[in-house]
């Protein structure tokens, strides 16, 4: 927006742009730990109007009450006030060391709100990369200004939350959530396996209901062998809209031993669903061995004296 435009025209155009793109923002919420409601907003395309965010909760007769103590700003900084994202002292004691470690390891990079907002605006791939990171690890949403923890909730009460542009009444997205209600994460429909030709290597294959996955905000799956988790990060596709079949290769598993596997879906907020068990049985995977070809030497005509 050009600086010489009148202020009222700037605000008018800015508001119209945001309204036209209100479906560009989705707000997700779950009561992941039984103590709080966690929120996460996903944005498809960045807008210059997104200077910061406010989280409000609907109370009484259609009254939106602001929850965050200060503006929730995009960007990551070692000096960032995570209390604006709802983090209490206990949350910060866990979140701050993790953020410092990720910054030291350059898993995250520091950026001021203005610089980061400009980067999100000019580089469309940056927002996709950030969203992928946040889906893998909800804490990154809190570090980056895309999440909020509501501690002031009462068990089994239903709440409605709204995401607003900082300091305005411009509603970007809203979501309803019943505190303490666990989403239906029973999304695995079928489990099979395939043994590799050698002595080791078993591929586990499962089919999942992607409609249920989207409704429950599933971020991926965890797979266990004899109760021990095998994956370090959730097993997830690049695009949940297309994927229905998922695989995991257990490279070091013996193809000749009976093994108990289990799979569970996990939400963006860290809720793990029903564990579905599957027993790999080598008897169900008979191996076809190629017979060694033996040359018939009886007609060659050679013989050895004395034997």
């Amino acid at each position: 927006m050009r600086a010489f435009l009148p202020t009222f025209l700037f605000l008018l155009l800015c508001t119209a742009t945001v309204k036209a793109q209100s479906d560009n923002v989705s707000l997700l919420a779950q009561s992941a730990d039984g103590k709080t409601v966690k929120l996460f907003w996903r944005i498809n395309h960045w807008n210059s109007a997104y200077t910061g965010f406010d989280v409000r909760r609907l109370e009484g007769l259609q009254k939106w009450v602001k929850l965050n103590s200060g503006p929730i700003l995009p960007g990551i900084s070692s000096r960032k006030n995570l209390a604006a994202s709802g983090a209490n002292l206990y949350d910060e004691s866990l979140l701050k060391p993790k953020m410092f470690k990720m910054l030291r390891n350059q898993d995250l990079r520091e950026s001021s709100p203005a610089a980061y907002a400009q980067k999100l605006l000019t580089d469309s791939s940056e927002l996709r990369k950030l969203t992928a990171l946040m889906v893998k690890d909800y804490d990154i949403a809190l570090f980056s200004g895309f999440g909020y923890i509501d501690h002031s909730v009462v068990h089994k009460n239903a709440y409605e939350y709204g995401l607003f542009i900082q300091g305005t009444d411009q509603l970007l997205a809203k979501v309803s959530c019943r505190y303490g209600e666990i989403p239906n994460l029973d999304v695995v429909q079928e489990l099979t396996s395939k043994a590799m030709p050698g002595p080791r290597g078993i591929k586990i294959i499962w089919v999942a209901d992607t409609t249920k996955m989207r409704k429950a905000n599933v971020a991926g799956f965890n797979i266990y062998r004899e109760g021990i988790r095998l994956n370090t990060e959730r097993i997830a596709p690049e695009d949940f809209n297309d994927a229905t079949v998922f695989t995991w290769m257990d490279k070091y598993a013996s193809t000749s031993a009976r093994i108990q596997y289990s799979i569970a879906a996990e939400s963006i907020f860290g809720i793990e669903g029903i564990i579905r068990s599957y027993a790999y049985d080598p008897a169900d995977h008979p191996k076809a061995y190629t017979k060694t070809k033996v040359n018939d030497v009886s007609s060659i005509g050679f013989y050895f004296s004395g034997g």
Side-chain angles (χ1 to χ4, degrees):
M1 200 65 64
R2 296 179 181 177
F4 58 81
L5 288 177
T7 303
F8 75 92
L9 182 58
F10 171 82
L11 294 173
L12 179 64
L13 291 175
C14 202
T15 302
T17 303
V18 173
K19 282 186 177 179
Q21 296 185 1
S22 58
D23 58 348
N24 181 44
V25 183
S26 55
L27 183 61
L28 313 177
Q30 277 182 1
S31 178
D33 54 10
K35 300 176 183 177
T36 64
V37 171
K38 294 184 177 181
L39 296 103
F40 166 67
W41 43 97
R42 190 198 310 253
I43 300 175
N44 296 324
H45 304 285
W46 194 255
N47 188 301
S48 58
Y50 303 158
T51 53
F53 304 100
D54 289 333
V55 174
R56 301 180 191 178
R57 196 173 66 198
L58 197 61
E59 295 182 3
L61 299 174
Q62 305 299 309
K63 181 183 179 182
W64 287 107
V65 177
K66 180 181 170 183
L67 298 179
N68 48 300
S69 57
I72 304 171
L73 304 174
I76 297 172
S77 169
S78 57
R79 298 179 300 278
K80 191 167 192 175
N81 178 18
L82 296 179
S85 294
N88 59 21
L89 292 176
Y90 176 73
D91 295 328
E92 289 211 27
S93 70
L94 300 176
L95 292 170
K96 284 281 189 173
K98 180 176 179 178
M99 182 172 68
F100 295 153
K101 182 179 179 181
M102 294 185 80
L103 287 169
R104 284 196 306 270
N105 295 342
Q106 296 191 333
D107 298 321
L108 298 174
R109 294 181 183 275
E110 292 201 56
S111 181
S112 68
Y116 199 60
Q118 183 63 25
K119 188 173 185 179
L120 294 172
L121 183 65
T122 55
D123 184 358
S124 59
S125 67
E126 184 66 24
L127 187 57
R128 289 196 300 272
K129 289 186 289 186
L130 175 61
T131 301
L133 286 173
M134 294 188 296
V135 167
K136 287 181 179 179
D137 188 341
Y138 175 74
D139 290 345
I140 295 177
L142 297 174
F143 301 156
S144 308
F146 288 79
Y148 185 84
I149 307 173
D150 185 9
H151 287 273
S152 60
V153 287
V154 179
H155 189 59
K156 292 186 178 179
N157 278 7
Y159 295 96
E160 186 168 0
Y161 296 92
L163 181 70
F164 292 78
I165 293 180
Q166 170 205 347
T168 75
D169 291 326
Q170 183 59 55
L171 177 65
L172 295 175
K174 59 182 180 178
V175 66
S176 297
C177 176
R178 181 173 291 278
Y179 168 52
E181 186 174 72
I182 303 299
N184 181 10
L185 291 165
D186 186 12
V187 300
V188 178
Q189 297 175 319
E190 181 183 344
L191 275 164
T192 56
S193 60
K194 182 179 180 181
M196 297 297 101
R200 296 192 178 277
I202 299 171
K203 181 185 285 186
I204 305 297
I205 307 160
W206 64 98
V207 178
D209 186 327
T210 51
T211 301
K212 284 185 178 180
M213 287 171 61
R214 286 191 292 271
K215 189 174 180 180
N217 300 323
V218 169
F221 297 88
N222 299 320
I223 186 164
Y224 300 84
R225 184 210 304 139
E226 306 293 347
I228 299 174
R229 179 170 162 170
L230 299 177
N231 55 298
T232 53
E233 293 184 353
R234 299 183 189 116
I235 303 165
E238 291 185 4
D239 188 352
F240 276 107
N241 294 320
D242 296 332
T244 56
V245 180
F246 302 82
T247 62
W248 173 263
M249 176 62 76
D250 191 2
K251 297 178 182 178
Y252 305 107
S254 171
T255 56
S256 59
R258 196 176 189 278
I259 302 172
Q260 187 72 30
Y261 288 100
S262 51
I263 294 175
E266 186 176 341
S267 77
I268 291 171
F269 302 94
I271 302 176
E272 192 173 65
I274 294 172
I275 294 178
R276 295 285 300 274
S277 297
Y278 173 77
Y280 166 81
D281 192 335
D284 298 331
H285 300 271
K287 295 187 177 183
Y289 292 96
T290 304
K291 292 182 179 179
T292 304
K293 187 176 180 181
V294 179
N295 293 323
D296 184 0
V297 297
S298 61
S299 61
I300 295 180
F302 290 104
Y303 67 95
F304 299 92
S305 61

mmCIF file of all heavy atoms in Angstrom, residues 120-158:
data_model
loop_
_atom_site.group_PDB
_atom_site.id
_atom_site.type_symbol
_atom_site.label_atom_id
_atom_site.label_comp_id
_atom_site.label_asym_id
_atom_site.label_seq_id
_atom_site.Cartn_x
_atom_site.Cartn_y
_atom_site.Cartn_z
ATOM 1 N N LEU A 120 8.173 -13.555 4.834
ATOM 2 C CA LEU A 120 7.006 -14.384 4.559
ATOM 3 C C LEU A 120 6.191 -13.840 3.390
ATOM 4 O O LEU A 120 5.578 -14.597 2.642
ATOM 5 C CB LEU A 120 6.119 -14.475 5.811
ATOM 6 C CG LEU A 120 6.704 -15.213 7.020
ATOM 7 C CD1 LEU A 120 5.795 -15.058 8.223
ATOM 8 C CD2 LEU A 120 6.923 -16.684 6.701
ATOM 9 N N LEU A 121 6.210 -12.510 3.261
ATOM 10 C CA LEU A 121 5.443 -11.875 2.185
ATOM 11 C C LEU A 121 6.094 -12.066 0.822
ATOM 12 O O LEU A 121 5.420 -12.283 -0.185
ATOM 13 C CB LEU A 121 5.290 -10.375 2.488
ATOM 14 C CG LEU A 121 4.450 -9.548 1.520
ATOM 15 C CD1 LEU A 121 2.992 -10.011 1.545
ATOM 16 C CD2 LEU A 121 4.537 -8.070 1.872
ATOM 17 N N THR A 122 7.425 -12.009 0.799
ATOM 18 C CA THR A 122 8.141 -12.038 -0.482
ATOM 19 C C THR A 122 8.586 -13.430 -0.915
ATOM 20 O O THR A 122 8.835 -13.671 -2.090
ATOM 21 C CB THR A 122 9.370 -11.117 -0.424
ATOM 22 O OG1 THR A 122 10.196 -11.502 0.687
ATOM 23 C CG2 THR A 122 8.948 -9.670 -0.251
ATOM 24 N N ASP A 123 8.690 -14.347 0.047
ATOM 25 C CA ASP A 123 9.157 -15.706 -0.269
ATOM 26 C C ASP A 123 8.076 -16.706 0.125
ATOM 27 O O ASP A 123 7.928 -17.043 1.295
ATOM 28 C CB ASP A 123 10.466 -16.000 0.479
ATOM 29 C CG ASP A 123 11.055 -17.363 0.110
ATOM 30 O OD1 ASP A 123 10.425 -18.090 -0.686
ATOM 31 O OD2 ASP A 123 12.134 -17.708 0.626
ATOM 32 N N SER A 124 7.310 -17.171 -0.854
ATOM 33 C CA SER A 124 6.179 -18.061 -0.571
ATOM 34 C C SER A 124 6.629 -19.397 0.011
ATOM 35 O O SER A 124 5.883 -20.041 0.756
ATOM 36 C CB SER A 124 5.368 -18.308 -1.845
ATOM 37 O OG SER A 124 6.189 -18.882 -2.854
ATOM 38 N N SER A 125 7.848 -19.818 -0.308
ATOM 39 C CA SER A 125 8.333 -21.105 0.207
ATOM 40 C C SER A 125 8.631 -21.041 1.700
ATOM 41 O O SER A 125 8.593 -22.054 2.397
ATOM 42 C CB SER A 125 9.589 -21.547 -0.554
ATOM 43 O OG SER A 125 10.679 -20.675 -0.287
ATOM 44 N N GLU A 126 8.936 -19.844 2.219
ATOM 45 C CA GLU A 126 9.274 -19.695 3.636
ATOM 46 C C GLU A 126 8.090 -20.073 4.528
ATOM 47 O O GLU A 126 8.265 -20.735 5.549
ATOM 48 C CB GLU A 126 9.700 -18.253 3.910
ATOM 49 C CG GLU A 126 10.169 -18.005 5.342
ATOM 50 C CD GLU A 126 11.457 -18.738 5.686
ATOM 51 O OE1 GLU A 126 12.229 -19.064 4.752
ATOM 52 O OE2 GLU A 126 11.683 -18.984 6.891
ATOM 53 N N LEU A 127 6.886 -19.660 4.138
ATOM 54 C CA LEU A 127 5.703 -19.976 4.932
ATOM 55 C C LEU A 127 5.408 -21.473 4.898
ATOM 56 O O LEU A 127 5.016 -22.056 5.911
ATOM 57 C CB LEU A 127 4.500 -19.185 4.416
ATOM 58 C CG LEU A 127 3.221 -19.271 5.245
ATOM 59 C CD1 LEU A 127 3.465 -18.822 6.673
ATOM 60 C CD2 LEU A 127 2.110 -18.439 4.609
ATOM 61 N N ARG A 128 5.611 -22.114 3.757
ATOM 62 C CA ARG A 128 5.402 -23.560 3.660
ATOM 63 C C ARG A 128 6.394 -24.312 4.544
ATOM 64 O O ARG A 128 6.034 -25.265 5.235
ATOM 65 C CB ARG A 128 5.541 -24.023 2.205
ATOM 66 C CG ARG A 128 4.394 -23.580 1.308
ATOM 67 C CD ARG A 128 4.387 -24.379 0.017
ATOM 68 N NE ARG A 128 5.617 -24.231 -0.747
ATOM 69 C CZ ARG A 128 5.836 -23.285 -1.641
ATOM 70 N NH1 ARG A 128 4.898 -22.372 -1.882
ATOM 71 N NH2 ARG A 128 6.975 -23.220 -2.308
ATOM 72 N N LYS A 129 7.652 -23.864 4.533
ATOM 73 C CA LYS A 129 8.667 -24.513 5.370
ATOM 74 C C LYS A 129 8.364 -24.324 6.849
ATOM 75 O O LYS A 129 8.509 -25.260 7.645
ATOM 76 C CB LYS A 129 10.060 -23.952 5.035
ATOM 77 C CG LYS A 129 10.599 -24.394 3.684
ATOM 78 C CD LYS A 129 12.033 -23.944 3.461
ATOM 79 C CE LYS A 129 12.131 -22.462 3.244
ATOM 80 N NZ LYS A 129 13.500 -22.023 2.875
ATOM 81 N N LEU A 130 7.923 -23.119 7.210
ATOM 82 C CA LEU A 130 7.598 -22.839 8.605
ATOM 83 C C LEU A 130 6.407 -23.686 9.054
ATOM 84 O O LEU A 130 6.428 -24.266 10.147
ATOM 85 C CB LEU A 130 7.279 -21.359 8.785
ATOM 86 C CG LEU A 130 6.815 -20.937 10.181
ATOM 87 C CD1 LEU A 130 7.888 -21.220 11.221
ATOM 88 C CD2 LEU A 130 6.415 -19.463 10.199
ATOM 89 N N THR A 131 5.377 -23.781 8.217
ATOM 90 C CA THR A 131 4.197 -24.582 8.562
ATOM 91 C C THR A 131 4.575 -26.037 8.769
ATOM 92 O O THR A 131 4.107 -26.688 9.705
ATOM 93 C CB THR A 131 3.128 -24.460 7.465
ATOM 94 O OG1 THR A 131 2.758 -23.082 7.306
ATOM 95 C CG2 THR A 131 1.886 -25.272 7.821
ATOM 96 N N ALA A 132 5.436 -26.566 7.903
ATOM 97 C CA ALA A 132 5.882 -27.952 8.035
ATOM 98 C C ALA A 132 6.607 -28.164 9.359
ATOM 99 O O ALA A 132 6.412 -29.185 10.038
ATOM 100 C CB ALA A 132 6.788 -28.332 6.869
ATOM 101 N N LEU A 133 7.428 -27.208 9.771
ATOM 102 C CA LEU A 133 8.143 -27.311 11.043
ATOM 103 C C LEU A 133 7.180 -27.267 12.221
ATOM 104 O O LEU A 133 7.310 -28.022 13.188
ATOM 105 C CB LEU A 133 9.158 -26.171 11.177
ATOM 106 C CG LEU A 133 10.432 -26.258 10.335
ATOM 107 C CD1 LEU A 133 11.242 -24.971 10.473
ATOM 108 C CD2 LEU A 133 11.272 -27.449 10.757
ATOM 109 N N MET A 134 6.186 -26.370 12.138
ATOM 110 C CA MET A 134 5.241 -26.215 13.240
ATOM 111 C C MET A 134 4.346 -27.438 13.393
ATOM 112 O O MET A 134 3.976 -27.809 14.509
ATOM 113 C CB MET A 134 4.396 -24.952 13.031
ATOM 114 C CG MET A 134 5.210 -23.667 13.104
ATOM 115 S SD MET A 134 4.211 -22.153 13.097
ATOM 116 C CE MET A 134 3.435 -22.235 11.474
ATOM 117 N N VAL A 135 3.984 -28.055 12.275
ATOM 118 C CA VAL A 135 3.165 -29.271 12.331
ATOM 119 C C VAL A 135 3.955 -30.402 12.993
ATOM 120 O O VAL A 135 3.405 -31.201 13.752
ATOM 121 C CB VAL A 135 2.689 -29.678 10.919
ATOM 122 C CG1 VAL A 135 2.121 -31.090 10.906
ATOM 123 C CG2 VAL A 135 1.643 -28.689 10.416
ATOM 124 N N LYS A 136 5.255 -30.465 12.724
ATOM 125 C CA LYS A 136 6.101 -31.487 13.342
ATOM 126 C C LYS A 136 6.307 -31.231 14.827
ATOM 127 O O LYS A 136 6.439 -32.169 15.620
ATOM 128 C CB LYS A 136 7.468 -31.534 12.643
ATOM 129 C CG LYS A 136 7.446 -32.143 11.261
ATOM 130 C CD LYS A 136 8.841 -32.173 10.676
ATOM 131 C CE LYS A 136 8.861 -32.795 9.288
ATOM 132 N NZ LYS A 136 10.223 -32.803 8.708
ATOM 133 N N ASP A 137 6.362 -29.955 15.214
ATOM 134 C CA ASP A 137 6.675 -29.609 16.597
ATOM 135 C C ASP A 137 5.878 -28.366 16.984
ATOM 136 O O ASP A 137 6.181 -27.250 16.553
ATOM 137 C CB ASP A 137 8.177 -29.351 16.739
ATOM 138 C CG ASP A 137 8.618 -29.176 18.178
ATOM 139 O OD1 ASP A 137 7.760 -28.896 19.041
ATOM 140 O OD2 ASP A 137 9.819 -29.313 18.455
ATOM 141 N N TYR A 138 4.843 -28.562 17.805
ATOM 142 C CA TYR A 138 3.965 -27.453 18.184
ATOM 143 C C TYR A 138 4.714 -26.323 18.890
ATOM 144 O O TYR A 138 4.340 -25.148 18.765
ATOM 145 C CB TYR A 138 2.837 -27.968 19.086
ATOM 146 C CG TYR A 138 1.951 -26.871 19.626
ATOM 147 C CD1 TYR A 138 1.034 -26.230 18.807
ATOM 148 C CD2 TYR A 138 2.046 -26.459 20.962
ATOM 149 C CE1 TYR A 138 0.225 -25.202 19.290
ATOM 150 C CE2 TYR A 138 1.246 -25.445 21.454
ATOM 151 C CZ TYR A 138 0.333 -24.817 20.613
ATOM 152 O OH TYR A 138 -0.455 -23.798 21.092
ATOM 153 N N ASP A 139 5.765 -26.640 19.609
ATOM 154 C CA ASP A 139 6.516 -25.605 20.324
ATOM 155 C C ASP A 139 7.055 -24.539 19.368
ATOM 156 O O ASP A 139 7.188 -23.371 19.745
ATOM 157 C CB ASP A 139 7.673 -26.228 21.105
ATOM 158 C CG ASP A 139 7.181 -27.053 22.288
ATOM 159 O OD1 ASP A 139 6.005 -26.918 22.667
ATOM 160 O OD2 ASP A 139 7.983 -27.841 22.825
ATOM 161 N N ILE A 140 7.367 -24.940 18.139
ATOM 162 C CA ILE A 140 7.882 -23.979 17.157
ATOM 163 C C ILE A 140 6.806 -22.956 16.804
ATOM 164 O O ILE A 140 7.110 -21.792 16.511
ATOM 165 C CB ILE A 140 8.408 -24.709 15.903
ATOM 166 C CG1 ILE A 140 9.617 -25.562 16.287
ATOM 167 C CG2 ILE A 140 8.789 -23.724 14.798
ATOM 168 C CD1 ILE A 140 10.190 -26.396 15.161
ATOM 169 N N ALA A 141 5.531 -23.354 16.873
ATOM 170 C CA ALA A 141 4.440 -22.399 16.647
ATOM 171 C C ALA A 141 4.442 -21.327 17.737
ATOM 172 O O ALA A 141 4.206 -20.144 17.461
ATOM 173 C CB ALA A 141 3.101 -23.137 16.613
ATOM 174 N N LEU A 142 4.726 -21.735 18.963
ATOM 175 C CA LEU A 142 4.800 -20.768 20.056
ATOM 176 C C LEU A 142 6.015 -19.857 19.891
ATOM 177 O O LEU A 142 5.928 -18.647 20.122
ATOM 178 C CB LEU A 142 4.868 -21.500 21.401
ATOM 179 C CG LEU A 142 3.654 -22.355 21.771
ATOM 180 C CD1 LEU A 142 3.929 -23.135 23.054
ATOM 181 C CD2 LEU A 142 2.412 -21.498 21.928
ATOM 182 N N PHE A 143 7.148 -20.432 19.498
ATOM 183 C CA PHE A 143 8.363 -19.624 19.282
ATOM 184 C C PHE A 143 8.144 -18.598 18.168
ATOM 185 O O PHE A 143 8.661 -17.489 18.229
ATOM 186 C CB PHE A 143 9.548 -20.502 18.881
ATOM 187 C CG PHE A 143 9.924 -21.560 19.880
ATOM 188 C CD1 PHE A 143 10.605 -22.703 19.479
ATOM 189 C CD2 PHE A 143 9.595 -21.434 21.220
ATOM 190 C CE1 PHE A 143 10.962 -23.683 20.375
ATOM 191 C CE2 PHE A 143 9.938 -22.414 22.140
ATOM 192 C CZ PHE A 143 10.623 -23.546 21.713
ATOM 193 N N SER A 144 7.371 -18.980 17.131
ATOM 194 C CA SER A 144 7.268 -18.197 15.895
ATOM 195 C C SER A 144 6.094 -17.232 15.875
ATOM 196 O O SER A 144 5.955 -16.460 14.926
ATOM 197 C CB SER A 144 7.158 -19.136 14.689
ATOM 198 O OG SER A 144 8.197 -20.085 14.688
ATOM 199 N N GLY A 145 5.234 -17.281 16.885
ATOM 200 C CA GLY A 145 4.084 -16.386 16.909
ATOM 201 C C GLY A 145 2.883 -16.920 16.164
ATOM 202 O O GLY A 145 2.084 -16.143 15.632
ATOM 203 N N PHE A 146 2.713 -18.261 16.174
ATOM 204 C CA PHE A 146 1.585 -18.882 15.484
ATOM 205 C C PHE A 146 0.808 -19.822 16.413
ATOM 206 O O PHE A 146 0.097 -20.700 15.944
ATOM 207 C CB PHE A 146 2.070 -19.666 14.263
ATOM 208 C CG PHE A 146 2.517 -18.793 13.125
ATOM 209 C CD1 PHE A 146 3.767 -18.193 13.153
ATOM 210 C CD2 PHE A 146 1.696 -18.566 12.028
ATOM 211 C CE1 PHE A 146 4.201 -17.384 12.110
ATOM 212 C CE2 PHE A 146 2.114 -17.764 10.983
ATOM 213 C CZ PHE A 146 3.365 -17.163 11.015
ATOM 214 N N GLY A 147 0.949 -19.627 17.724
ATOM 215 C CA GLY A 147 0.261 -20.498 18.656
ATOM 216 C C GLY A 147 -0.034 -19.793 19.968
ATOM 217 O O GLY A 147 0.556 -18.749 20.287
ATOM 218 N N TYR A 148 -0.971 -20.368 20.720
ATOM 219 C CA TYR A 148 -1.344 -19.796 22.007
ATOM 220 C C TYR A 148 -1.811 -20.920 22.933
ATOM 221 O O TYR A 148 -2.473 -21.865 22.490
ATOM 222 C CB TYR A 148 -2.466 -18.759 21.857
ATOM 223 C CG TYR A 148 -2.810 -18.057 23.153
ATOM 224 C CD1 TYR A 148 -2.071 -16.959 23.570
ATOM 225 C CD2 TYR A 148 -3.842 -18.515 23.961
ATOM 226 C CE1 TYR A 148 -2.360 -16.328 24.775
ATOM 227 C CE2 TYR A 148 -4.141 -17.890 25.161
ATOM 228 C CZ TYR A 148 -3.393 -16.798 25.568
ATOM 229 O OH TYR A 148 -3.669 -16.175 26.762
ATOM 230 N N ILE A 149 -1.459 -20.812 24.248
ATOM 231 C CA ILE A 149 -1.904 -21.769 25.257
ATOM 232 C C ILE A 149 -2.877 -21.067 26.196
ATOM 233 O O ILE A 149 -2.514 -20.077 26.836
ATOM 234 C CB ILE A 149 -0.725 -22.324 26.082
ATOM 235 C CG1 ILE A 149 0.362 -22.899 25.180
ATOM 236 C CG2 ILE A 149 -1.207 -23.392 27.047
ATOM 237 C CD1 ILE A 149 1.616 -23.317 25.923
ATOM 238 N N ASP A 150 -4.099 -21.580 26.275
ATOM 239 C CA ASP A 150 -5.102 -21.002 27.174
ATOM 240 C C ASP A 150 -5.150 -21.824 28.460
ATOM 241 O O ASP A 150 -5.630 -22.954 28.480
ATOM 242 C CB ASP A 150 -6.482 -20.990 26.494
ATOM 243 C CG ASP A 150 -7.533 -20.294 27.357
ATOM 244 O OD1 ASP A 150 -7.161 -19.679 28.375
ATOM 245 O OD2 ASP A 150 -8.725 -20.371 26.999
ATOM 246 N N HIS A 151 -4.633 -21.232 29.545
ATOM 247 C CA HIS A 151 -4.635 -21.897 30.848
ATOM 248 C C HIS A 151 -5.936 -21.660 31.619
ATOM 249 O O HIS A 151 -6.237 -22.399 32.550
ATOM 250 C CB HIS A 151 -3.462 -21.394 31.699
ATOM 251 C CG HIS A 151 -2.134 -21.895 31.249
ATOM 252 N ND1 HIS A 151 -1.593 -23.094 31.675
ATOM 253 C CD2 HIS A 151 -1.213 -21.367 30.395
ATOM 254 C CE1 HIS A 151 -0.408 -23.280 31.115
ATOM 255 N NE2 HIS A 151 -0.154 -22.248 30.334
ATOM 256 N N SER A 152 -6.675 -20.625 31.257
ATOM 257 C CA SER A 152 -7.856 -20.224 32.040
ATOM 258 C C SER A 152 -9.119 -20.929 31.536
ATOM 259 O O SER A 152 -10.084 -20.301 31.113
ATOM 260 C CB SER A 152 -8.039 -18.707 31.958
ATOM 261 O OG SER A 152 -8.221 -18.313 30.602
ATOM 262 N N VAL A 153 -9.122 -22.254 31.598
ATOM 263 C CA VAL A 153 -10.260 -23.036 31.115
ATOM 264 C C VAL A 153 -10.774 -23.946 32.227
ATOM 265 O O VAL A 153 -10.061 -24.268 33.166
ATOM 266 C CB VAL A 153 -9.872 -23.893 29.886
ATOM 267 C CG1 VAL A 153 -9.700 -23.028 28.653
ATOM 268 C CG2 VAL A 153 -8.599 -24.685 30.157
ATOM 269 N N VAL A 154 -12.032 -24.337 32.079
ATOM 270 C CA VAL A 154 -12.690 -25.205 33.058
ATOM 271 C C VAL A 154 -13.048 -26.510 32.370
ATOM 272 O O VAL A 154 -13.560 -26.523 31.253
ATOM 273 C CB VAL A 154 -13.962 -24.538 33.623
ATOM 274 C CG1 VAL A 154 -14.655 -25.456 34.635
ATOM 275 C CG2 VAL A 154 -13.617 -23.199 34.273
ATOM 276 N N HIS A 155 -12.797 -27.620 33.063
ATOM 277 C CA HIS A 155 -12.966 -28.947 32.480
ATOM 278 C C HIS A 155 -14.368 -29.164 31.916
ATOM 279 O O HIS A 155 -15.365 -28.845 32.546
ATOM 280 C CB HIS A 155 -12.662 -30.015 33.527
ATOM 281 C CG HIS A 155 -12.596 -31.395 32.972
ATOM 282 N ND1 HIS A 155 -11.707 -31.755 31.985
ATOM 283 C CD2 HIS A 155 -13.319 -32.513 33.238
ATOM 284 C CE1 HIS A 155 -11.870 -33.030 31.692
ATOM 285 N NE2 HIS A 155 -12.855 -33.511 32.434
ATOM 286 N N LYS A 156 -14.407 -29.704 30.697
ATOM 287 C CA LYS A 156 -15.628 -30.090 29.980
ATOM 288 C C LYS A 156 -16.478 -28.918 29.503
ATOM 289 O O LYS A 156 -17.563 -29.121 28.966
ATOM 290 C CB LYS A 156 -16.481 -31.050 30.819
ATOM 291 C CG LYS A 156 -15.826 -32.418 31.020
ATOM 292 C CD LYS A 156 -16.748 -33.387 31.716
ATOM 293 C CE LYS A 156 -16.072 -34.756 31.840
ATOM 294 N NZ LYS A 156 -16.930 -35.746 32.553
ATOM 295 N N ASN A 157 -16.005 -27.690 29.692
ATOM 296 C CA ASN A 157 -16.730 -26.553 29.134
ATOM 297 C C ASN A 157 -16.384 -26.386 27.663
ATOM 298 O O ASN A 157 -15.273 -26.678 27.239
ATOM 299 C CB ASN A 157 -16.373 -25.264 29.884
ATOM 300 C CG ASN A 157 -17.161 -25.120 31.178
ATOM 301 O OD1 ASN A 157 -17.874 -26.033 31.584
ATOM 302 N ND2 ASN A 157 -17.021 -23.973 31.824
ATOM 303 N N ALA A 158 -17.352 -25.894 26.889
ATOM 304 C CA ALA A 158 -17.121 -25.628 25.469
ATOM 305 C C ALA A 158 -16.716 -24.164 25.296
ATOM 306 O O ALA A 158 -17.273 -23.272 25.949
ATOM 307 C CB ALA A 158 -18.377 -25.936 24.667
#
